[in-house]
């Protein structure tokens, strides 16, 4: 069976081999205060720079998930709270978690077929902006102009972006943001159980100045440990190792993004006026590169998912308000292009 679920998702076919090699090399029981772990950490940093274009002065931390990053960002990077800008379920969840820690957090929902406008909040001076780069629930992504617009209107605010389902797939404007994070079970094609947090020097300075220390995962301790290429607690060492192996394996991000773009264009040929399903997001410019939700009547959506599964294609369910009337297809790099084409062929025959 091939999974097109947008998380947890199809992992790289090489994962079993990497696990075996990690086991043989003694990685699974590796001490996280050892020199070997420090070298492993260091090589992930180097590979993130090489393959994913992480700027040289940005720092990298391992967390357990994107959800953990939501809390770390609220607790360690804000005093009063940030401004949360979102159009879907994940952005809304982030805001909900942040509100519990920082009740004065602000929220700015925007419509599915629109772009948020920084100008509308020009009167505010938020300390932190929270944007979802790739909204996995509805398959929208923020264009670079939107990110630049927020940067421009709020020069003093830190800019945090959730790239959980785009890091590793899309070419991200990392320099434009201060805090980026993702978990590994989406676009990075690895088993769930780890997240990565990437910070600009400005973000680091701000958090060290706030010096919040109430939690095991307070940024000050993450940073102190990172400087020694260590972690606050015993981390998912296998996850770190698999991240290293997958980063060695993948091409530079510009190539990956190009390939994913070609694959998305192939899908567009499916949506003729007669096709009973269509992309949830009508404006192509607002669509995500990595997650494609398709909309149709609820019965048809259920039947497509069911039939596809019998052919060995697991399609993703809709999410939140779009649960019944959409299905989601992940366009993640760990899914091979030939599998993608096979699904495309199958659906175009079924739906024509
Ligand atoms: C999946 C997802 C999350 C949550 O990831 P966890 O690893 O479960 O914490 C957060 N944000 C986005 C955009 C996601 O797609």
């Amino acid at each position: 069976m091939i999974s097109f679920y947008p998380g947890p998702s199809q992992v790289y076919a090489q994962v079993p081999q990497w696990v075996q090699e990690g086991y043989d090399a003694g990685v699974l029981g590796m001490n996280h205060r050892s020199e070997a772990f420090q070298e492993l950490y260091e090589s992930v940093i180097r590979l993130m720079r090489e393959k994913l274009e992480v700027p040289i002065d940005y720092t990298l931390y391992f967390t357990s998930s994107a959800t953990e990053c939501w809390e770390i960002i609220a607790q360690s990077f804000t005093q009063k709270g940030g401004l949360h800008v979102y159009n879907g379920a994940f952005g809304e969840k982030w805001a909900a978690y942040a509100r519990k820690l920082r009740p004065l957090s602000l929220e700015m929902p925007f419509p599915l077929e629109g772009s948020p406008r920084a100008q509308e909040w020009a009167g505010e001076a938020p300390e932190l902006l929270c944007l979802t780069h790739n909204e996995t629930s509805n398959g929208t992504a923020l264009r670079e102009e939107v990110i630049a617009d927020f940067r421009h209107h709020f020069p003093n605010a830190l800019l945090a972006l959730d790239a959980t389902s785009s890091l590793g797939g899309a070419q991200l404007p990392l320099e434009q943001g201060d805090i980026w994070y993702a978990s590994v079970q989406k676009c990075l094609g690895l088993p769930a159980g780890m997240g990565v947090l990437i910070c600009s020097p400005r973000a680091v300075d701000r958090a060290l100045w706030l010096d919040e220390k109430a939690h095991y995962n307070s940024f000050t301790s993450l940073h102190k440990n990172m400087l020694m290429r260590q972690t606050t607690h015993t981390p998912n060492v296998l996850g770190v190792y698999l991240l290293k192996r997958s980063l060695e394996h993948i091409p530079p991000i510009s190539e990956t993004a190009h390939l994913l773009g070609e694959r998305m264009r192939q899908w567009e040929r499916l949506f003729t006026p007669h096709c009973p399903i269509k992309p949830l997001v009508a404006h192509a410019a607002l669509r995500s590169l990595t997650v494609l939700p398709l909309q149709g009547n609820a019965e048809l959506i259920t039947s497509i998912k069911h039939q596809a599964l019998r052919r060995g294609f697991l399609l993703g369910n809709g999410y939140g308000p779009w649960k019944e009337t959409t299905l989601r297809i992940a366009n993640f790099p760990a899914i091979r292009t030939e599998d993608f084409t096979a699904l495309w062929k199958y659906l175009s025959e079924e739906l024509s």
Side-chain angles (χ1 to χ4, degrees):
M1 195 193 56
I2 304 151
S3 173
F4 291 86
Y5 223 101
S9 49
Q10 184 80 23
V11 299
Y12 282 105
Q14 291 81 359
V15 165
Q17 180 200 331
W18 295 334
V19 172
Q20 183 67 49
E21 288 170 13
Y23 175 78
D24 294 341
V27 169
L28 273 64
M30 182 186 273
N31 185 312
H32 62 294
R33 305 278 171 219
S34 68
E35 210 171 297
F37 180 79
Q38 293 169 316
E39 278 167 22
L40 179 58
Y41 197 148
E42 186 66 36
S43 48
V44 172
I45 296 173
R46 176 177 51 79
L47 286 158
M48 294 278 270
R49 288 175 183 153
E50 263 175 45
K51 295 291 177 73
L52 301 184
E53 300 181 356
V54 171
I56 187 93
D57 54 350
Y58 279 40
T59 41
L60 173 79
Y61 311 86
F62 300 114
T63 65
S64 63
S65 63
T67 304
E68 188 190 355
C69 296
W70 286 339
E71 287 208 343
I72 293 171
I73 293 168
Q75 84 201 5
S76 297
F77 291 87
T78 68
Q79 281 177 305
K80 289 191 183 145
L83 169 60
H84 290 256
V85 181
Y86 60 82
N87 75 348
F90 285 101
E92 194 176 358
K93 262 195 197 173
W94 182 4
Y97 276 101
R99 209 185 312 122
K100 288 187 206 175
L101 292 168
R102 297 287 184 267
L104 297 177
S105 299
L106 298 170
E107 290 181 40
M108 174 185 181
F110 64 97
L112 181 67
E113 298 285 346
S115 289
R117 288 162 51 86
Q119 220 175 337
E120 288 170 25
W121 288 74
E124 299 284 342
E127 46 188 330
L128 172 77
L129 298 163
C130 301
L131 271 55
T132 303
H133 174 260
N134 200 70
E135 180 49 77
T136 321
S137 67
N138 59 26
T140 56
L142 290 179
R143 287 168 303 131
E144 217 169 308
E145 301 92 89
V146 173
I147 298 170
D149 181 44
F150 274 88
R151 196 78 174 154
H152 174 75
H153 274 87
F154 301 104
N156 297 321
L158 291 179
L159 182 49
L161 292 116
D162 182 340
T164 302
S165 53
S166 50
L167 182 75
Q171 199 159 16
L172 302 171
L174 293 170
E175 291 274 6
Q176 293 273 354
D178 294 299
I179 304 170
W180 294 85
Y181 60 88
S183 36
V184 296
Q185 76 276 16
K186 309 250 166 115
C187 240
L188 292 166
L190 295 173
M194 195 171 80
V196 290
L197 175 68
I198 299 168
C199 293
S200 73
R202 206 165 80 108
V204 172
D205 287 349
R206 181 82 61 90
L208 293 183
W209 178 76
L210 289 173
D211 201 23
E212 179 278 316
K213 281 181 174 151
H215 306 269
Y216 85 95
N217 56 8
S218 293
F219 184 80
T220 305
S221 6
L222 294 186
H223 188 72
K224 234 190 237 163
N225 279 280
M226 181 282 295
L227 291 175
M228 301 181 289
R229 304 298 185 251
Q230 290 186 14
T231 52
T232 49
H233 60 287
T234 320
N236 182 345
V237 180
L238 176 60
V240 179
Y241 176 74
L242 292 177
L243 182 58
K244 175 192 158 188
R245 296 301 305 267
S246 62
L247 288 168
E248 283 168 346
H249 166 77
I250 60 173
I253 190 64
S254 55
E255 274 177 44
T256 305
H258 179 77
L259 173 70
L260 300 190
E262 303 267 287
R263 289 182 354 185
M264 272 297 177
R265 272 190 289 285
Q266 180 182 27
W267 280 99
E268 276 159 28
R269 288 193 276 127
L270 189 71
F271 312 120
T272 59
H274 311 290
C275 186
I277 56 172
K278 56 178 185 8
L280 171 65
V281 183
H283 288 70
L286 303 179
R287 279 183 212 149
S288 156
L289 178 67
T290 53
V291 180
L292 177 65
L294 300 178
Q295 191 175 37
N297 78 51
E299 261 170 54
L300 178 66
I301 292 293
T302 306
S303 126
I304 292 174
K305 282 189 299 198
H306 198 76
Q307 297 297 331
L309 191 58
R310 289 176 44 185
R311 296 296 189 89
F313 302 118
L314 174 66
L315 307 184
N317 289 330
Y319 200 96
W322 301 283
K323 193 165 175 53
E324 307 295 328
T325 54
T326 61
L327 56 84
R328 291 177 303 153
I329 296 172
N331 182 23
F332 291 166
I335 302 169
R336 300 179 315 164
T337 298
E338 51 265 46
D339 292 334
F340 228 87
T341 305
L343 174 65
W344 186 88
K345 273 205 183 121
Y346 165 70
L347 282 182
S348 48
E349 280 162 26
E350 285 293 298
L351 297 170
S352 61

